[in-house]
Amino acid sequence: MKTISTDNSHGGTQGVYVNRSEVCDCDMTFAVFLPPQAKGRKLPVLWYLSGLTCTHANVMDKGEYRRLAAELGIVIVCPDTSPRGDAVPDEPDNWQFGKGAGFYVDATEPPFAQNYRMYSYVVDELPQLIAAEFPVDMTRQGIFGHSMGGHGAITIALKNPERFSSCSAFAPISHPSVSGWSKPAFQKYLGSDEKNWRAHDACSLIEDGHRFPEFLVDQGTADSFLEDGLRPEELRQACETAGISLRLRMQEGYGHSYFFISTFMEDHLRWHARRLGD
């Protein structure tokens, strides 16, 4: 692990780091905010997964999480959204696929299978590095994210309920195997057999018996991707059928940007803090 930068913020430290990822076969950049309490003890950790076209930096620059994370004593980890580098296959003119659009899956189709293994990176490789290098209590982990990252957070929590104490999302892609802006990516990453997509689709995972105690989801009513891309009502129906507690808050007039995310960031941090506890 190499340190790219560190800056003091709210008594803590916002750092940016890079590691050579074995699973993604490239260098991966990530951000970690350490609150001031980290100087004396291990703290709970909250993973934030970003959306399409983003890097680790979008939420770091615009998410407005540090003041409250410092108050609550929570470490915030922000991975990148995809592998990077000249050797990584990409479709530069397609913002819904390739670099910036890893969808938190492990690709099985060439040429993407060599690098696009974001599920294994976020679930296995990066947590091992974070546990070794930072003062975190890995028995107290939460996960949240936005859009593609909301999809990633919910699916990862559903598949790893023993690891995470909390999960929330801003405008998640709830049913990506049928969504117009994610179905083509799934086909390229995971192949044409749609049965293989179910392991990376929140609604399908719930239908197939995966469970998580509760979710908090905020969704803007003025989000231009609401009906086709995000489909929150389908997540609501899946959770109701399965008996999963879902607090779906439709936020009047809000869109899909970080103006929306930063407005409700405090609610999400406090919600996670109550579940991560001491």
Side-chain angles (χ1 to χ4, degrees):
M1 186 184 79
K2 296 180 181 179
T3 300
I4 303 300
S5 64
T6 57
D7 291 281
N8 293 340
S9 181
H10 296 281
T13 303
Q14 177 66 69
V16 178
Y17 309 90
V18 64
N19 73 299
R20 179 68 187 181
S21 169
E22 296 298 326
V23 297
C24 294
D25 194 23
C26 64
D27 287 345
M28 295 292 289
T29 304
F30 60 95
V32 179
F33 176 68
L34 293 177
Q37 300 90 329
K39 297 172 184 176
R41 58 192 175 99
K42 291 186 175 183
L43 299 175
V45 56
L46 184 55
W47 301 84
Y48 180 88
L49 306 184
S50 290
L52 288 164
T53 75
C54 292
T55 70
H56 69 283
N58 294 72
V59 69
M60 187 179 74
D61 293 343
K62 298 182 285 188
E64 301 181 19
Y65 58 80
R66 278 176 289 270
R67 179 192 60 78
L68 188 58
E71 175 186 321
L72 297 172
I74 297 176
V75 176
I76 309 289
V77 180
C78 308
D80 201 349
T81 55
S82 74
R84 306 280 176 176
D86 293 340
V88 175
D90 188 24
E91 292 184 4
D93 296 327
N94 184 359
W95 64 274
Q96 298 171 334
F97 185 76
K99 294 179 186 177
F103 276 94
Y104 304 100
V105 305
D106 280 353
T108 58
E109 300 301 299
F112 308 106
Q114 179 174 347
N115 303 107
Y116 286 84
R117 301 187 62 210
M118 289 302 296
Y119 178 84
S120 290
Y121 177 70
V122 170
V123 172
D124 297 320
E125 187 178 47
L126 186 57
Q128 292 176 20
L129 179 64
I130 295 296
E133 298 289 341
F134 297 94
V136 293
D137 181 353
M138 298 299 278
T139 68
R140 295 186 288 161
Q141 296 186 64
I143 190 167
F144 68 149
H146 169 234
S147 193
M148 179 184 72
H151 137 77
I154 294 173
T155 56
I156 288 171
L158 283 165
K159 290 192 284 186
N160 301 273
E162 73 289 344
R163 177 180 298 188
F164 296 100
S165 301
S166 57
C167 178
S168 72
F170 303 98
I173 303 174
S174 297
H175 205 173
S177 62
V178 301
S179 169
W181 68 347
S182 49
K183 187 174 180 179
F186 271 31
Q187 187 169 20
K188 293 173 186 177
Y189 287 137
L190 303 172
S192 58
D193 188 347
E194 295 186 14
K195 292 194 298 294
N196 296 329
W197 303 359
R198 298 184 68 84
H200 298 285
D201 183 304
C203 291
S204 298
L205 284 166
I206 293 170
E207 290 173 2
D208 292 344
H210 290 264
R211 296 292 181 265
F212 197 78
E214 58 180 341
F215 299 111
L216 169 65
V217 171
D218 276 313
Q219 172 64 63
T221 63
D223 192 321
S224 60
F225 305 112
L226 178 60
E227 298 300 329
D228 179 48
L230 304 175
R231 300 171 179 256
E233 289 302 324
E234 294 176 32
L235 179 62
R236 187 201 299 272
Q237 182 177 356
C239 287
E240 286 180 355
T241 300
I244 296 173
S245 175
L246 169 64
R247 188 178 182 190
L248 175 59
R249 307 193 306 182
M250 302 301 295
Q251 302 293 357
E252 187 65 32
Y254 282 91
H256 198 70
S257 74
Y258 271 90
F259 295 113
F260 159 63
I261 297 165
S262 63
T263 299
F264 300 103
M265 178 63 75
E266 179 170 341
D267 290 355
H268 283 245
L269 292 181
R270 292 193 183 279
W271 191 83
H272 284 280
R274 289 192 293 272
R275 286 150 183 83
L276 295 174
D278 280 328

